[in-house]
Amino acid sequence: MPVLKDAMPLMKEPHPLPQAPLPWILPSLFAAFNVVLLVVFSGLFFAFPCRWLAQNGEWAFPLVTGLLCVLTFFSLVSLNFSDPGILHQGSNEQGPMMVHVVWVNQRAFRLQWCQKCCFHRPPRTYHCPWCNICVEDFDHHCKWVNNCIGHRNFRFFMLLVLSLCLYSGALLVTCLIFLVRTTHLPFSMDKAMAILVSVPAAGFLVPLFLLLLIQAMSVSAAQRSCEGKCRYLQGYNPFDHGCASNWYLTICAPLGPKYMAEAVWLQRVAGSDWVPIQNLHFPVCPSVLSPPAPTSESPQTREGSLR
């Protein structure tokens, strides 16, 4: 049943994210610049040092780096255009006066009210100020791809970080092997391009490896980056199902239908007379979902039964 408005929250809320001072066009251009940068450095690598190795019979290097390049570019583009788990806006008829409580692994969570999206947010759902949307199982907003990282695209984010680590390491190793095998040759354009590619590859390799390690530890412990210093009052994480189960739920579990697709389908079917369905995707109390059915007996009958 609903509880009072002044009830204390059962989980500490993380600090709200700062408002974005830049318009949306600048983050979009930055994300597009990252894609162009990846294409340019990959083109220089395959056109100069990798070409020299292939001409001298070293076909293993272009094959391995080529597969990693395709995997990295695919994961980057997929993450740019992926749905992080957007929850569509609610109805103005809803309000923050009533507070709902749900239970997760024998722990209670008060559904926080989102003033911009007009609904009670499920646990681990937060409003991104940069995208102005509520994202299910929100982790963070990645400025490199200008997209939120949440329930539906976290696996693409992990794939991108892993592929970037492997690809950067392969570029660095291949360029170093090329420079070692061409020490007896005079300085040429191939050597210049190999140095130009190896320097950023070495610079990005260490931060990417640390990011991959941190994300792997977070997945194993069922933690999220946006929670930061948030601590659960009961002493343990109720979302933790064990290391193996956490990895399965994050990487391999079915995602289910998209929330936005279902919202659009409802609007198309109902047309202009559509009335928003409250609490369509959020767990609420059974009394809210199943109100008592009105009886059809007359007042005289009801009065007689009371007697």
Side-chain angles (χ1 to χ4, degrees), residues 224-303:
R224 293 297 176 262
S225 302
C226 67
E227 294 174 346
K229 298 180 180 180
C230 174
R231 293 294 181 267
Y232 299 96
L233 301 182
Q234 289 81 6
Y236 75 97
N237 186 1
F239 299 96
D240 188 5
H241 299 278
C243 182
S245 298
N246 293 337
W247 277 98
Y248 170 77
L249 294 174
T250 304
I251 305 299
C252 304
L255 295 176
K258 292 185 179 181
Y259 297 111
M260 293 303 297
E262 186 171 350
V264 172
W265 179 81
L266 287 174
Q267 294 178 14
R268 288 179 179 177
V269 172
S272 58
D273 297 332
W274 173 69
V275 177
I277 301 177
Q278 298 184 5
N279 302 319
L280 181 60
H281 300 290
F282 315 130
V284 295
C285 302
S287 59
V288 178
L289 291 178
S290 301
T295 58
S296 58
E297 56 185 17
S298 61
Q300 293 79 5
T301 307
R302 189 181 301 110
E303 183 179 358

Side-chain angles (χ1 to χ4, degrees), residues 5-49:
K5 178 183 177 182
D6 57 350
M8 295 298 294
L10 301 180
M11 190 193 75
K12 295 181 179 179
E13 275 286 297
H15 296 289
L17 298 176
Q19 295 293 332
L22 299 178
W24 64 271
I25 188 64
L26 295 182
S28 301
L29 291 177
F30 180 70
F33 172 76
N34 295 327
V35 178
V36 173
L37 196 66
L38 177 63
V39 174
V40 170
F41 277 99
S42 299
L44 294 177
F45 169 77
F46 287 105
F48 292 97

Side-chain angles (χ1 to χ4, degrees), residues 2-267:
V3 298
L4 297 178
K5 178 183 177 182
D6 57 350
M8 295 298 294
L10 301 180
M11 190 193 75
K12 295 181 179 179
E13 275 286 297
H15 296 289
L17 298 176
Q19 295 293 332
L22 299 178
W24 64 271
I25 188 64
L26 295 182
S28 301
L29 291 177
F30 180 70
F33 172 76
N34 295 327
V35 178
V36 173
L37 196 66
L38 177 63
V39 174
V40 170
F41 277 99
S42 299
L44 294 177
F45 169 77
F46 287 105
F48 292 97
C50 191
R51 174 189 54 82
W52 187 92
L53 292 173
Q55 290 178 351
N56 289 269
E58 301 288 346
W59 287 99
F61 295 101
L63 289 178
V64 174
T65 54
L67 293 176
L68 292 177
C69 178
V70 173
L71 179 62
T72 303
F73 188 78
F74 167 77
S75 58
L76 179 60
V77 175
S78 300
L79 187 60
N80 270 279
F81 298 98
S82 62
D83 175 20
I86 303 174
L87 300 179
H88 59 277
Q89 295 186 357
S91 170
N92 293 329
E93 298 177 359
Q94 304 184 41
M97 302 302 296
M98 300 301 293
V99 178
H100 301 286
V101 175
V102 297
W103 291 83
V104 179
N105 196 14
Q106 299 181 355
R107 290 296 178 262
F109 289 86
R110 191 184 72 175
L111 301 187
Q112 302 295 327
W113 174 259
C114 180
Q115 297 181 354
K116 295 185 177 180
C117 295
C118 299
F119 66 85
H120 291 87
R121 300 183 309 220
R124 284 193 163 180
T125 298
Y126 301 104
H127 188 90
C128 177
W130 289 276
C131 300
N132 196 25
I133 55 176
C134 276
V135 178
E136 180 191 14
D137 204 3
F138 181 81
D139 187 82
H140 68 283
H141 179 86
C142 183
K143 297 183 179 180
W144 294 93
V145 297
N146 191 30
N147 197 3
C148 294
I149 309 300
H151 171 67
R152 303 193 64 87
N153 64 351
F154 188 83
R155 58 191 62 183
F156 287 114
F157 175 72
M158 292 294 295
L159 178 62
L160 175 62
V161 177
L162 177 60
S163 59
L164 280 174
C165 285
L166 297 177
Y167 187 46
S168 300
L171 291 182
L172 180 61
V173 171
T174 304
C175 290
L176 292 179
I177 292 177
F178 165 78
L179 293 175
V180 169
R181 295 188 179 182
T182 57
T183 52
H184 61 284
L185 299 177
F187 189 79
S188 60
M189 184 62 67
D190 294 340
K191 290 186 177 182
M193 293 298 104
I195 296 175
L196 180 63
V197 173
S198 61
V199 170
F204 281 105
L205 182 59
V206 175
L208 286 172
F209 178 77
L210 293 177
L211 177 60
L212 180 63
L213 182 61
I214 293 173
Q215 291 295 334
M217 294 174 60
S218 299
V219 173
S220 301
Q223 298 177 351
R224 293 297 176 262
S225 302
C226 67
E227 294 174 346
K229 298 180 180 180
C230 174
R231 293 294 181 267
Y232 299 96
L233 301 182
Q234 289 81 6
Y236 75 97
N237 186 1
F239 299 96
D240 188 5
H241 299 278
C243 182
S245 298
N246 293 337
W247 277 98
Y248 170 77
L249 294 174
T250 304
I251 305 299
C252 304
L255 295 176
K258 292 185 179 181
Y259 297 111
M260 293 303 297
E262 186 171 350
V264 172
W265 179 81
L266 287 174
Q267 294 178 14

